[in-house]
Amino acid sequence: MAVYGWSGKRLGQKSSAALLLTPFVVAYLAFLVIPFLNGIWISLHNWNLMAVAFDPNAKEFVGLRNYERILWGKNIVWSPAASPLVQWSAAFVLLSTLLLTAFGKISRGTAVLVGSIALILFVACGFHPGAGGRWYDRRFWPTVGNTILFVALTVPSITIISLSLAVLVNRESRAMAVFRTIFFLSQVLSVTVVTLIWQLLFSPRQGLIANVITLFGGSPIHWLTDERFAMAAIVITTVWWSLGIAMILFLAGLQDISRDIYEAAALDNAKGWRAFRHITLPNLKRTITLVVVLQIILHFQVFGQSHLMTGGGPNDSTQTLVRYIYQTGFRDSELGRATTMAVFLFVIMGAFSLVQFLLGREDKD
Amino acid sequence: MKQIILATMLAAGFASPVMAEDISLGRFFGACENAGSDTKTSVGEPCIIQSIINAASEQIDGVTVNTLPTDWGNYYDQLKAAYAGKTPPNVHVMHRYRVAEFAGTGALADLTDDLAGAGIDVSDWEAAAKAGVTYNGKIYGVPMDFHANLWHVNMDIMQQAGLVKDGKPVLPTSVDELMAQAKLVKEKTGKEYLIGDFSQFETGVRVVMSLIWQQGADLYNGDTATVNTPEAKAAIKVLTDLFAAGYADPKYNYTDSQQAFLNGEGAILINGTWVVDYYDSQAADPAVALKNYYAATFPILFKDKAAWAGSHMWAIPAMLKQNDPAKYAAALKVLAFINDHDGDWARTGHMAVRKSVLASDAYKALPHRTEYATTAGLARTMPPSKHYGAIQDTLNREFQAIWLTNKDVDAALSDAELDIQDLLDR
């Protein structure tokens, strides 16, 4: 497409690109880059939301103290058995990766990726307060742990269920079109509506689930106030809510797979599960990576479900990172600390974006 | 000079009859779709307050009041964000314990010298009500009520358990009596003795605080947290003993606890003054299991007279007073109107703050009012702190962890003490 300047003269490729990119770059700088840099700047201050609004000089530069107060503690030591289950599992994965690489069973890229994650987990989970020590913010790391647990439960569930649904409704019939619409419908609801629906369903007094359990002679579960079920409750809600978009992505991926391959496979007697295992899954590899990484980034930012359904409780068991950031920023007015946590969240999400980038590059290789 | 100009403009504002001002108003209490403007017949907090606001909008010359949509649970977060964005509502409600935080940062207008001009007689306020809206010697709001926790009683269940004398419920005067009564109710009726939202709302914190105060202790003193104390352990033990014996269920949330009480599933519900008229109207409904309702003062189980209480008040942003004197004058008129309707607001069950209302026959004749008349004498609130919200949440989280997740009492109290000390040190 030819682009013309003010003088009516046709612009060169570089000038055209600069001109066409300008609106995006301006918006990107104004609404993303500058606020992000401003966030980092705020995180280096003792910055009260209200006080600074009325007196811009009310802030105090504290350097990296907010990072120390959130991430670190008094007399923190490291040991290889601080969180034995996680650390030893990570060590096992690390050793297995090394062995598999040595025998050429996995690619070098995958090995570096999996090995790095295992190494980070092994090292990070080893820090703990020594005798007489404590974390300065004793709620931060458990909150990070809750968020990771939420992601670990939600992402595989959504991926598996939405893939299964996509395979089931990937047929050209009127009924399947109706099902596709129904399964996607929950996605368009707002978090307020979704949590309201599920609070009603989970209610131990008049909820549908309690009624069904009572019908079979059981006693109703207090989903939202029982520590054993609260996380499960917000995971179930999130899975129900988030299936639609993942299913649509999988449907798009499935429709990209040529019918010819299935027909050829059918001649070799590969149908049903075998066709799914050997044709569908390998062809969907990039879609699965995309769905998983998008879901990880999305669900690390979980807020509404925890805030509206359980209030982060009981005993902080459903407290998540974004809710903690929100409370620190708005309830406690501590914008400096809140943005510090937000920067930490950015680093985590940045790491997963990097993973997607690396995996994508490996696919091309 | 600035004050003279302001006073002149205010006087002009009050004198000029037609200066249409649109006043935005922020409040919690919940939504009421068709409140109307009859302040004498509305029922329940949301509808009574909205009827007063609607009446203000109709009756104050040249002023229309626009109620902003806000959500109870996130009200203060929304309000702070609005202040930080320099777009706060022209008039808003708040709790007295938030004054230190808002007035301390310069957010609220100093109303001290402007109230009389707006027709608000400060000398008519109860001393405690005036103290609640005063910060560093200046008045930052118009108080609207005192509210406290009551024991809402199902008299039929108490009667079955033999706990009614002379038409009044026999309530405990010690922890031992409380446990004995709970046992009696369970044995005679099979029902729970105490119902409340101990799983999400702050009921548990307010009960524990009341019982700590009744022993002469407090949760923080100045800049020092004093949470892990024998008094706190004794207070918590009252509730955990009730839960352990099956005389109360810690897992009800607000809606479930209220529904259980109205369904006649328990003898006593712990909830605030704000639901007296609602329960009274529910008890008159043949479809509701609760028939004979009584609203009792929170009992004294230890030595001192003390029970948690709070106060709602109305404030105006400082920036409105600085930047728009005409609108500020209109906002003051709205506050004066609300102050004039203190008696209507008291119909919710809250206690009035104006001496003239408290002395009126109409106030004394309100349903159940005499049953909890002694509540005002127990009223006690937490020491003011800029971190009130975070302190409340910390206590709520740790107390609930004790009865919902079996967290060790000592560990929970020591964690709460560390967290609160951390807040007080900031």
Side-chain angles (χ1 to χ4, degrees):
Chain A
M1 187 183 76
V3 179
Y4 295 89
W6 294 116
S7 57
K9 198 177 159 191
R10 187 174 168 161
L11 295 174
Q13 198 176 9
K14 280 188 179 174
S15 309
S16 307
L19 185 66
L20 292 171
L21 279 173
T22 302
F24 166 76
V25 171
V26 168
Y28 189 70
L29 284 174
F31 296 110
L32 281 164
V33 178
I34 294 171
F36 172 69
L37 294 176
N38 194 28
I40 294 179
W41 177 243
I42 293 173
S43 76
L44 303 175
H45 290 80
N46 187 2
W47 188 304
N48 184 294
L49 177 71
M50 296 270 281
V52 177
F54 296 108
D55 174 12
N57 298 319
K59 57 185 179 282
E60 179 198 357
F61 184 79
V62 293
L64 295 174
R65 200 203 298 163
N66 282 330
Y67 290 87
E68 187 198 12
R69 300 300 294 182
I70 284 158
L71 304 172
W72 204 241
K74 191 174 119 191
N75 195 20
I76 300 299
V77 294
W78 187 87
S79 77
S83 311
L85 189 67
V86 180
Q87 279 181 280
W88 295 348
S89 305
F92 176 76
V93 171
L94 187 60
L95 285 174
S96 309
T97 311
L98 286 174
L99 282 173
L100 289 170
T101 318
F103 288 108
K105 296 283 182 189
I106 52 172
S107 71
R108 208 170 147 209
T110 310
V112 169
L113 190 69
V114 176
S116 307
I117 293 171
L119 187 64
I120 289 169
L121 273 177
F122 180 72
V123 174
C125 294
F127 291 106
H128 63 98
R134 73 174 187 105
W135 295 106
Y136 291 131
D137 184 339
R138 67 176 188 84
R139 297 176 66 204
F140 180 72
W141 288 111
T143 298
V144 173
N146 289 341
T147 314
I148 292 172
L149 177 65
F150 176 82
V151 171
L153 292 171
T154 315
V155 174
S157 312
I158 291 172
T159 310
I160 292 166
I161 298 172
S162 59
L163 178 57
S164 311
L165 287 175
V167 169
L168 289 174
V169 299
N170 186 29
R171 283 164 220 177
E172 284 173 24
S173 75
R174 196 176 289 260
M176 289 305 144
V178 172
F179 277 121
R180 280 198 290 269
T181 312
I182 290 172
F183 290 134
F184 188 74
L185 265 183
S186 63
Q187 189 82 48
V188 303
L189 300 174
S190 76
V191 69
T192 327
V193 175
V194 170
T195 52
L196 195 64
I197 291 170
W198 280 94
Q199 281 183 81
L200 290 172
L201 288 171
F202 283 133
S203 167
R205 297 186 62 79
Q206 60 262 49
L208 177 72
I209 299 169
N211 285 336
V212 171
I213 292 173
T214 316
L215 198 68
F216 289 100
S219 45
I221 296 169
H222 291 260
W223 286 91
L224 305 178
T225 52
D226 190 321
E227 196 177 26
R228 294 166 299 168
F229 299 104
M231 180 59 88
I234 65 167
V235 167
I236 291 168
T237 306
T238 308
V239 169
W240 181 82
W241 186 31
S242 313
L243 284 176
I245 195 76
M247 188 191 73
I248 294 294
L249 287 170
F250 280 130
L251 273 171
L254 285 170
Q255 284 165 13
D256 265 356
I257 305 173
S258 166
R259 289 276 122 208
D260 299 349
I261 308 177
Y262 287 104
E263 282 164 17
L267 292 174
D268 291 334
N269 207 24
K271 293 178 187 168
W273 169 251
R274 289 180 70 189
F276 178 77
R277 166 78 182 80
H278 295 287
I279 298 169
T280 312
L281 274 185
N283 279 291
L284 277 182
K285 195 179 162 197
R286 296 189 71 168
T287 313
I288 294 171
T289 307
L290 176 75
V291 167
V292 167
V293 174
L294 282 180
Q295 296 285 332
I296 288 174
I297 292 171
L298 180 70
H299 294 305
F300 255 108
Q301 301 171 71
V302 56
F303 169 70
Q305 300 92 306
S306 154
H307 190 62
L308 297 169
M309 292 177 75
T310 59
N315 193 20
D316 262 359
S317 60
T318 55
Q319 175 76 329
T320 59
L321 201 46
V322 173
R323 185 169 189 270
Y324 200 28
I325 293 170
Y326 168 80
Q327 284 189 312
T328 309
F330 291 100
R331 185 197 63 189
D332 306 345
S333 302
E334 303 212 24
L335 220 52
R337 274 188 181 226
T339 47
T340 305
M341 293 183 205
V343 170
F344 175 84
L345 182 62
F346 167 80
V347 170
I348 291 185
M349 294 196 298
F352 279 103
S353 301
L354 190 68
V355 167
Q356 189 200 12
F357 174 73
L358 290 175
L359 287 176
R361 204 174 59 168
E362 196 177 323
D363 278 354
K364 280 176 201 158
D365 293 346
Chain B
M1 186 62 193
K2 196 178 165 189
Q3 281 177 330
I4 295 170
I5 295 170
L6 185 64
T8 314
M9 293 187 81
L10 275 175
F14 290 125
S16 50
V18 195
M19 276 288 286
E21 288 293 351
D22 202 7
I23 296 294
S24 59
L25 180 145
R27 67 165 180 87
F28 38 76
F29 301 123
C32 179
E33 291 295 326
N34 299 305
S37 56
D38 183 352
T39 62
K40 302 293 175 198
T41 56
S42 41
V43 175
E45 267 190 326
C47 291
I48 294 179
I49 193 62
Q50 197 54 48
S51 68
I52 294 172
I53 294 165
N54 292 346
S57 194
E58 274 180 24
Q59 294 171 25
I60 305 173
D61 275 346
V63 174
T64 51
V65 187
N66 174 30
T67 308
L68 301 174
T70 50
D71 166 54
W72 218 132
N74 304 304
Y75 178 75
Y76 285 105
D77 305 334
Q78 284 181 277
L79 193 58
K80 280 186 192 179
Y83 267 108
K86 302 208 165 43
T87 55
N90 303 142
V91 166
H92 64 83
V93 76
M94 59 191 287
H95 292 91
R96 63 178 287 172
Y97 43 71
R98 295 280 184 167
V99 172
E101 182 181 8
F102 280 78
T105 49
L108 303 183
D110 171 10
L111 310 178
T112 317
D113 300 326
D114 306 328
L115 291 168
I120 298 172
D121 179 8
V122 175
S123 67
D124 194 29
W125 293 347
E126 282 279 296
K130 188 180 170 190
V133 295
T134 305
Y135 181 76
N136 286 346
K138 305 278 186 190
I139 297 174
Y140 286 95
V142 171
M144 183 165 67
D145 62 45
F146 289 117
H147 51 262
N149 266 347
L150 299 178
W151 277 31
H152 303 271
V153 184
N154 183 326
M155 291 295 279
D156 291 332
I157 296 177
M158 293 297 269
Q159 184 80 50
Q160 279 181 55
L163 292 170
V164 174
K165 193 177 174 189
D166 301 330
K168 294 178 182 173
V170 180
L171 295 176
T173 57
S174 69
V175 177
D176 289 342
E177 275 185 31
L178 174 92
M179 293 307 291
Q181 284 197 3
K183 188 166 183 278
L184 202 60
V185 167
K186 194 74 178 177
E187 283 173 359
K188 298 258 179 162
T189 68
K191 300 193 172 177
E192 284 170 358
Y193 177 68
L194 204 63
I195 302 177
D197 173 4
F198 294 102
S199 69
Q200 288 181 340
F201 193 57
E202 292 160 0
T203 312
V205 177
R206 292 168 181 181
V207 170
V208 171
M209 278 198 301
S210 302
L211 298 180
I212 290 172
W213 292 331
Q214 289 184 7
Q215 299 169 76
D218 210 335
L219 288 159
Y220 56 93
N221 186 4
D223 288 335
T224 310
T226 52
V227 183
N228 195 3
T229 59
E231 289 85 359
K233 283 174 191 160
I236 286 169
K237 190 172 182 302
V238 173
L239 288 178
T240 50
D241 283 355
L242 286 169
F243 297 141
Y247 302 148
D249 186 342
K251 288 180 183 155
Y252 286 131
N253 62 19
Y254 191 89
T255 313
D256 288 341
S257 64
Q258 187 159 265
Q259 199 55 51
F261 178 68
L262 295 174
N263 287 354
E265 295 170 24
I268 292 157
L269 170 72
I270 298 190
N271 200 356
T273 44
W274 50 88
V275 278
V276 171
D277 72 327
Y278 175 63
Y279 295 164
D280 186 62
S281 66
Q282 286 289 294
D285 183 344
V288 174
L290 173 72
K291 298 291 175 219
N292 292 307
Y293 167 64
Y294 189 100
T297 297
F298 193 93
I300 310 296
L301 301 180
F302 294 93
K303 60 186 173 64
D304 293 346
K305 285 185 175 180
W308 169 85
S311 182
H312 295 123
M313 54 175 276
W314 291 88
I316 299 175
M319 63 184 76
L320 189 71
K321 182 173 176 174
Q322 286 159 9
N323 303 335
D324 194 342
K327 196 161 259 202
Y328 174 61
L332 278 170
K333 286 182 189 175
V334 175
L335 259 54
F337 191 91
I338 293 172
N339 187 60
D340 289 344
H341 287 77
D342 194 38
D344 291 324
W345 177 243
R347 221 171 49 247
T348 53
H350 290 309
M351 292 163 280
V353 288
R354 289 176 53 201
K355 293 172 192 166
S356 54
V357 173
L358 287 164
S360 69
D361 291 339
Y363 181 79
K364 287 173 187 162
L366 288 171
H368 307 284
R369 188 63 54 166
T370 52
E371 296 166 5
Y372 59 97
T374 52
T375 294
L378 312 183
R380 174 90 181 256
T381 190
M382 273 171 80
S385 168
K386 289 182 179 177
H387 299 286
Y388 184 88
I391 290 172
Q392 281 281 308
D393 282 356
T394 301
L395 293 170
N396 209 19
R397 185 182 69 244
E398 293 303 328
F399 290 174
Q400 285 171 6
I402 293 169
W403 48 71
L404 290 177
T405 69
N406 293 320
K407 184 169 180 177
D408 177 65
V409 176
D410 216 35
L413 291 179
S414 108
D415 281 347
E417 188 163 291
L418 273 175
D419 288 355
I420 292 174
Q421 189 59 57
D422 183 38
L423 289 165
L424 295 173
D425 287 343
R426 288 180 197 177

